[in-house]
Structure formats: C-alpha cells, structure tokens
Amino acid sequence: MKLDSQQLARVAALFRAFAEPTRLAILQELKSDELAVSEIVDRLTTSQANVSKQLKLLHDAGVVSRRKSGTTVFYTIADPMVFELCRLVCDKLNRDAVKPSKIRF
Amino acid sequence: MKLDSQQLARVAALFRAFAEPTRLAILQELKSDELAVSEIVDRLTTSQANVSKQLKLLHDAGVVSRRKSGTTVFYTIADPMVFELCRLVCDKLNRDAVKPSKIRF
DNA sequence: TCACTAAATAGCCATTTGGTTATACTTGCA
DNA sequence: TGCAAGTATAACCAAATGGCTATTTAGTGA
C-alpha cells in the first residue's frame, strides 16, 4: 500500500509538529499536567507570543486540546500517541548513542 | 524525567528526518526492498542530486544504511522503528479523519 | 464605561531548508 | 589511459519558519 503525495504531505505535517525543540518542551510540560498558557510561559524561556504560536500549531495538528475558563486557556495532550512516538524516538537515540546516557520523554 | 534543551534538540532532529514528503517517499520505496540510488530516482519525480541529498540526511539520522557495490550504492531502512513510527502517525491521521479513507505506510 | 489580565494575532527579520543545475568524485572496463 | 556510469557535492535560490516586539481581542470586576 503506497501513499500518494497528498497523504505523504499529511504524514509529514504531523511529524513536523514534533520536529522543533520548543514544541517538544511544551509537550514535555503538558505530559503530567493540564496547564494554562501563562504557566507554560513561566516554565520555558521563550515569549508568550511564541508559546501561543506553537500551541496553535500543535492544536491545528490535533496534538493538544484547549479548554477555556474565563480569560485563561488550558491545554492538554490530546492523544496518547504522543508518548508512544516520543518513546520510540528516545529508545532509538539511546540505542544509537555511543555513550550510554539514557533519555526518556 | 525532563530532557534538557540539548536532548530535546536531538529528539527534534530525528523527528525532522520524517517531516518531509520526499524523505517519506524514499522510505516508502525502501520499505520492501533494498534499492540503489538510481532505482529510487526512477521511482520518484525528483532529481538524482536531491535523492542523494535526502539519503545523506536520512543516513546521518541513522534511519537508513548504505552498502556499496562497485559504483552503485544500495540503501536500506536501518531501524524497524521507522515502521512503528509511521504506523502510529497513520493511525492517528485515520482516527482524526472525518471521511474514512484509510492510509497506511 | 474603564481598567486590568490572559491569550492571540500581526508584522517583521534572520535562519533554515528543499529543490535545482552544474560539477567533482569513484569505480569498472575497453 | 581514457571513457562511461553511478553518486556525491557545491553553489545558489525561493519558500517556509521560529522568534521577537507591538498590538489586538476577549473576559472580569470595580
């Protein structure tokens, strides 16, 4: 079964959501908790505007969900596949590493 | 367990290898067979130079292996995690799709 | 209505990157 | 040697994108 170019583009787009350190950092913070945008901003070292932008990207990709309460917006990981994906990738990096320094999302 | 920014960068870099349609198309061709560069070029619609470039990228990421025989170079998928990753992503896309049109790598 | 807070968006810039064409490199063979 | 075939690399360009600052939008309460 071969994917056509349009389907490959959709697959690539979903992978791209995970292909930036800042977005991974956001997902890492969301791993344990549902968090407000401002809480994520506090935990990272980038601007509120950038966090909002990356959250929108993750949301458009279906990776996170939003919940609005008053003026604050809470985000959660929308699909547990995120954890499986990151586990697969970390496992591979650990296998490939010369020096054994385990990383795990 | 939290990854520091350097580790997040490595994870992101590996995801990035999968984040482009052309590279996914190459991997899709390699799914069943070991192939020479020229055979991949014949199966896709891009230049030999571009295929070489993307293969180098995939090789640097540890995703494909090379084997040289005379002047021709054969590439294979280096790690079966590729298939698991693509399966997870395709499954999610299928779950999210409004119209049920199953895609599978 | 006004002020305040939280989040999203607009506009901009520097960097990255996928693709191309042209060229170099390497191996096998006449 | 010399030539041809298969890959890889160089140089370049246009498009995409991550990040910033500034501004706008939306909800809350005095």
Side-chain angles (χ1 to χ4, degrees):
Chain A
M1 177 174 296
K2 288 260 180 72
L3 305 194
D4 63 32
S5 63
Q6 191 189 340
Q7 293 170 319
L8 288 175
R10 290 173 57 209
V11 174
L14 185 46
F15 274 120
R16 206 175 310 122
F18 299 93
E20 285 298 329
T22 300
R23 288 194 287 275
L24 291 176
I26 291 175
L27 293 175
Q28 190 170 231
E29 296 302 330
L30 292 177
K31 188 179 185 218
S32 41
D33 285 308
E34 175 189 67
L35 290 178
V37 176
S38 61
E39 295 176 303
I40 299 173
V41 173
D42 290 345
R43 286 166 167 74
L44 304 184
T45 57
T46 185
S47 65
Q48 179 268 321
N50 193 33
V51 170
S52 248
K53 190 173 178 176
Q54 305 306 332
L55 280 170
K56 173 178 172 52
L57 217 152
L58 290 169
H59 186 259
D60 288 349
V63 174
V64 300
S65 313
R66 31 158 74 91
R67 177 178 71 82
K68 206 167 175 179
S69 169
T71 64
T72 95
V73 179
F74 294 92
Y75 283 88
T76 323
I77 295 203
D79 194 321
M81 64 86 72
V82 170
F83 304 121
E84 292 198 54
L85 267 190
C86 289
R87 188 183 52 71
L88 279 173
V89 166
C90 287
D91 283 354
K92 170 166 183 54
L93 291 175
N94 290 325
R95 279 196 302 279
D96 291 356
V98 190
K99 293 181 60 176
S101 60
K102 182 125 82 182
I103 69 180
R104 180 164 34 203
F105 189 88
Chain B
M1 179 174 296
K2 288 259 180 71
L3 305 194
D4 61 35
S5 62
Q6 190 189 340
Q7 295 170 318
L8 288 175
R10 290 174 57 207
V11 174
L14 185 47
F15 274 120
R16 207 175 309 122
F18 300 93
E20 286 295 331
T22 300
R23 288 194 288 275
L24 291 176
I26 291 174
L27 293 176
Q28 190 170 232
E29 297 303 330
L30 292 177
K31 185 176 188 226
S32 41
D33 285 310
E34 173 189 67
L35 290 178
V37 176
S38 61
E39 295 177 304
I40 300 172
V41 172
D42 290 347
R43 286 165 166 74
L44 304 185
T45 58
T46 185
S47 66
Q48 179 268 319
N50 193 33
V51 170
S52 247
K53 191 173 177 175
Q54 305 307 331
L55 280 170
K56 174 178 172 50
L57 216 152
L58 290 169
H59 185 259
D60 288 350
V63 175
V64 300
S65 313
R66 31 157 73 91
R67 178 178 72 82
K68 205 167 175 178
S69 170
T71 64
T72 93
V73 180
F74 294 92
Y75 283 87
T76 323
I77 295 204
D79 194 319
M81 64 86 72
V82 170
F83 305 120
E84 292 197 55
L85 266 190
C86 289
R87 188 184 51 73
L88 280 173
V89 167
C90 288
D91 285 354
K92 170 165 183 57
L93 291 174
N94 289 326
R95 280 196 301 278
D96 291 355
V98 189
K99 293 180 60 177
S101 60
K102 182 125 80 180
I103 69 180
R104 179 162 36 200
F105 189 86

